[in-house]
Structure formats: structure tokens, C-alpha cells
Amino acid sequence: MFNLNNILRENIKALTPYSSARDEFKGSASDVFLDANENSMGSSLTALKLNRYPDPLQWDVKEKIAKIKNTDIKNIFLGNGSDEAIDILIRAFCNPGKDNIIILPPTYGMYEVAAKINDVKIKAVNLLKTYQPDMPGIKKAIDKNTKLIFVCSPNNPTGGIINIRNIETLLETFNGIVIVDEAYIDFADFPGMLNDLSKYPNLVILQTFSKAWGLAGLRMGMAFARPDIIDVMNKIKAPYNVGDLAQKLMLQALENSSMVKGMVKSLKAERAKMLKELPNFSFVTSIAPSDANFLLVKTTCADKLYKFLIDNNMVVRNRSNLPLCEGGLRITVGTEEENKKLLALLKRFEKIYKG
């Protein structure tokens, strides 16, 4: 049975988090702030008032997110992209040089990078050829020092949703934490697992504003979990991990959820067009089903095609070196104009390299 205290590092249990001035005074109902050694004269960016530290727990932003996501504000962690949440989860629950995590390649590379930075062993259990989890393989890989299992769904770079029953089985049988990375969930017909937080105490969901919301440059990621896990994450994070400007811009962006839905609808329509057109090229061998805003396109000539596109100012991602992605290029669904340009370049390439 899952018990948070059984997997939490002892030094984290004993940790007294840094207490910032803004932690000690909550609210804005004060005319004079002389508590945080800020510059009382103002900001060097004269058009912006940035001389004050931001809300360390981003309550205004979380309140809006909670309404949009239909979840409790206490279930939300905000960070500098999802990468911060990934790093914090590994630091919180994995003892360096002792514990391990399980990843399911091919998958998002930051799980492995963050684990290596923290001196945490990685157990890789490759997906099956169907791009679904090898459940017997995962069961075999779990040992007493396995603390986290990362599941990317929709998966990057393959694009498909991971079977929900497989994830539920992990949550029900694994005594550690299952982290479901839903960075691309807005492009899927499946609603995701946010409604399951109350059912599974060991579930953490990662989402982002970098994809559907078009805010990759803002660096704002979300983690959703039971309050006890969120409390641990807040205990470890830097005091002011999300800047004041980012919070203000997020409050503006969150007013545009209908615009986001429109963009997602357009991108899904373009994805359908590309799925129809790409198989017509002789060098394309297969396209993985996608619930994301990209396609994994397998080809007979990935390296040559990648270089050709680069030489013609078209950048895609060569994923052919990853397991189960041999010959694969990961192609983001672009605008209608960008996709037409890509198809035109592919026609040129086919003529040049025919045969």
C-alpha cells in the first residue's frame, strides 16, 4: 500500500523550508513594504513595477487554473516549466546513489537527465512495438529502491496516448509515485487523469503552458497531486521560482481559454491533413497514431531527409537514434502555410532521391 512517508527522503522530512518575507506576510493590504530589502526607489525598468518580490506560491494564478482545470487550488504546483517539477520530484523522493526511477523509452529525455544530475539510477523498460507499456517488464524492474515511474501520455516522441488501464494498474500495484506527463493532453480526445487525483494518492500529473497555450517562452509548468505531495514540492522549490512578470502574463493568458481551444481545433485539423498527405511519399514507411501536435514519421532515409530540410531552412527533429524510432523524424504540426511548405519540400526531395 502506498504511504508517502515510506518513500520520502529522511532529510526532506526534517527540512525546514526557507521562509521568505512574502511567506511571512500574505496579502497585499499594506501601503509600505520594508520587510524584504527590496529597492524602495523602484525598478530600473521604469515602465514596469518589478522592484517587489512576487507571490512565492502564485495564489492568484493558481485560483484561475483551478477553475479552468476543475480542481482544488491545493492540488497545484507551479514551476519554471515542467522540468522544475521533474527535478523536484526526483530530489524529494530519491536518495542519491541508492534509489532508482523507471522510464519507458522512447520518451521525454529530461526524466533521464534530471535523474543523472541527482545521481539516481535509471531503469529503462522499453515500450512494446505497439508503443504501449511492457507491463511484465515494468513489474520485473521494480525493486525496493524504485521510487518513481514516469509515464508520458501522449508520449513524446511517438505521439500516442498510453492505455489508461495500464496506468491504473501501476497506480494500484506500485508503492511509489506514478508521474503521468500530460504535456500534450490538450491535443488528445482523451480528457486526461486530473479527475483521478482523489482516487490515487500516488498520482502526479504534469501539464504545461508551452504547447496548446503557446507560451513556451514564458516557462510555466504545472504539477497536480494530492496536497501532501504538493506541500513537499513547495518545501523544496526556490522561494520565488516563478517571477512576477510571468505571473502577471499568466493571469492575462488565462483569460484566453477560448482562443486556445480555437488554436487546438485548427492544429488538429492540420494534423489530420498531414496524416492524409504524408503516406503518399515513397520514402515514408509509417506514421504513428498521434494524440499530440506532432507526428512521428518513419522513413527509409531519415538522415538524408533531415539534412535536406535543414539545408532548405526547415527544421524538424531527427529521432531515428531512439529505440522503436528507427528512421523516424518527429514533425511538429505547423500552420497551414508551414505545412504546405513542408509538403512542397518533400516533393522536391522525392524527385531528387527517387530510387
Side-chain angles (χ1 to χ4, degrees), residues 282-283 301 304-305 308 348-355:
S282 60
F283 51 82
C301 49
K304 288 182 178 179
L305 178 53
F308 174 83
R348 280 177 54 194
F349 177 83
E350 189 166 42
K351 290 178 181 178
I352 296 170
Y353 291 101
K354 192 172 183 180

Side-chain angles (χ1 to χ4, degrees), residues 152-188:
C152 191
S153 180
N155 188 44
N156 176 11
T158 57
I161 285 282
I162 299 299
N163 185 294
I164 183 65
R165 186 56 201 145
N166 287 336
I167 298 175
E168 289 173 342
T169 297
L170 293 176
L171 287 163
E172 291 161 3
T173 59
F174 177 51
N175 290 331
I177 291 176
V178 179
I179 301 159
V180 182
D181 189 343
E182 294 185 343
Y184 299 94
I185 197 66
D186 295 288
F187 301 101

Side-chain angles (χ1 to χ4, degrees), residues 266-267 269-271 273-274 314 332-344:
S266 296
L267 286 168
E270 287 298 314
R271 183 180 69 190
K273 289 180 187 177
M274 296 301 285
M314 176 73 67
T332 302
V333 177
T335 64
E336 182 178 9
E337 183 180 346
E338 289 170 336
N339 294 333
K340 284 180 178 178
K341 184 177 180 180
L342 172 64
L343 292 172

Side-chain angles (χ1 to χ4, degrees), residues 17-31 33 35 53-60 62 74 231 234 237 239-240:
Y18 175 81
S19 180
S20 71
R22 291 301 176 265
D23 281 315
E24 294 168 13
F25 174 82
K26 294 180 173 65
S28 57
S30 181
D31 295 326
F33 287 94
D35 58 342
Y53 286 107
D55 175 1
L57 291 172
Q58 314 96 26
W59 288 117
D60 288 345
K62 287 179 180 176
K74 294 180 181 178
D231 288 345
N234 285 330
K237 77 173 186 67
Y240 303 109

Side-chain angles (χ1 to χ4, degrees), residues 35-101:
D35 58 342
N37 300 334
E38 300 151 326
N39 188 333
S40 302
M41 297 298 175
S43 172
S44 54
L45 287 170
T46 55
L48 299 168
K49 188 177 180 181
L50 295 173
N51 58 312
R52 301 297 181 189
Y53 286 107
D55 175 1
L57 291 172
Q58 314 96 26
W59 288 117
D60 288 345
V61 180
K62 287 179 180 176
E63 186 176 359
K64 284 197 173 185
I65 292 173
K67 290 178 181 178
I68 291 172
K69 299 291 184 178
N70 193 29
T71 191
D72 194 288
I73 193 170
K74 294 180 181 178
N75 293 336
I76 305 171
F77 171 87
L78 296 182
N80 183 13
S82 298
D83 296 337
E84 182 181 6
I86 292 166
D87 177 66
I88 285 176
L89 287 163
I90 291 173
R91 281 193 283 147
F93 297 106
C94 298
N95 291 285
K98 177 184 176 182
D99 292 329
N100 65 76
I101 68 167

